[in-house]
Amino acid sequence: MVGFLRSSSLADSTVLVTAFRDGLRETGFVEGQNVAIEYRYGDNQIDQLPILVADLIKRSPAMIVGNTPSALAAKAATTTIPIVFAAGGDPVVLGLVTSLNRPGGNVTGVTFLAGVLGAKRLELLRQLVPNATAIGVLVNPNNQDTEAERRDVHAAAQAIGQQLIMRDVSSDVTSRWPLQPSGRLTGPVRCSFAAVRVLKTRTGRRVGCTVCAAR
């Protein structure tokens, strides 16, 4: 049995669940035939993850697969069950592993290093809208990768004299920053992946960063 643990909700994880099942199938493991999967979702309540991890551990899974918050919770709870993470930031900085080439312990995984690409995305936005006087940044405060990305984007903006308007977004975009803000933004709004998922939930349809654009 494999434990699949996410800090987000089931609705936000549908595509990832499908990809996970497809990946297992490609290696010869088919759910319901030769492998069982126990799914647990934190619904963006980080404090619930230790409870979910404890429940999975009682079932003696062969491994636990999760995102950064889930993997950290699992790492804190067991040193024997293998933990596989998919992280957007640097797993060493996040405390998941001791090094990239020698992870050590019972934790391993993959990283997309998305959290350190904030400065590059800001650069691309400046190329698309060179006359932008203000660029909005939506970040998820519940994501461990956020602080590193926030620092990188802020430093990059200061270096080129770009004004930023940063807003935290977790589960309710409209309460924290209306999609039609009262203050005019002359540049596009830059969305982190987590923020895009929130907007998708609120609007009920798939969105990209262009949905966040405000002028």
Side-chain angles (χ1 to χ4, degrees):
M1 186 268 285
V2 174
F4 184 91
L5 178 63
R6 296 283 302 180
S7 59
S8 56
S9 66
L10 170 60
D12 287 341
S13 305
T14 302
V15 174
L16 300 175
V17 169
T18 300
F20 181 62
R21 288 169 175 162
D22 290 344
L24 286 176
R25 188 178 299 109
E26 290 173 2
T27 57
F29 294 95
V30 180
E31 184 178 15
Q33 296 183 14
N34 57 358
V35 66
I37 305 175
E38 287 285 338
Y39 301 94
R40 299 291 185 276
Y41 303 95
D43 293 325
N44 298 311
Q45 303 295 320
I46 302 298
D47 59 343
Q48 293 300 305
L49 290 177
I51 299 174
L52 298 176
V53 168
D55 181 56
L56 283 175
I57 290 176
K58 287 192 300 184
R59 300 171 186 273
S60 301
M63 70 175 63
I64 296 175
V65 179
N67 58 348
T68 299
S70 303
L72 286 172
K75 179 184 178 183
T78 177
T79 58
T80 57
I81 298 175
I83 300 166
V84 181
F85 63 81
D90 185 335
V92 176
V93 174
L94 292 169
L96 287 166
V97 297
T98 55
S99 72
L100 293 178
N101 57 342
R102 294 183 180 276
N106 60 321
V107 182
T108 189
V110 296
T111 177
F112 312 108
L113 295 177
V116 298
L117 295 178
K120 184 61 179 179
R121 289 195 283 260
L122 177 62
E123 177 186 338
L124 292 174
L125 280 178
R126 288 269 297 184
Q127 293 176 6
L128 290 171
V129 189
N131 297 322
T133 59
I135 291 179
V137 182
L138 301 181
V139 296
N140 184 351
N142 297 321
N143 192 319
Q144 276 87 345
D145 303 329
T146 293
E147 286 308 313
E149 184 173 12
R150 195 195 304 265
R151 289 193 300 269
D152 289 345
V153 174
H154 185 69
Q158 280 191 322
I160 59 177
Q162 175 66 60
Q163 179 187 357
L164 291 182
I165 300 176
M166 282 198 178
R167 293 293 184 272
D168 289 346
V169 175
S170 54
S171 60
D172 192 340
V173 166
T174 57
S175 67
R176 296 176 180 268
W177 189 1
L179 295 181
Q180 295 180 342
S182 56
R184 293 182 61 81
L185 297 177
T186 56
V189 177
R190 203 206 125 264
C191 296
S192 68
F193 181 59
V196 171
R197 286 206 303 269
V198 172
L199 287 175
K200 177 182 176 182
T201 301
R202 293 287 297 176
T203 59
R205 59 190 179 87
R206 187 179 299 276
V207 299
C209 287
T210 52
V211 172
C212 307
R215 300 180 183 278

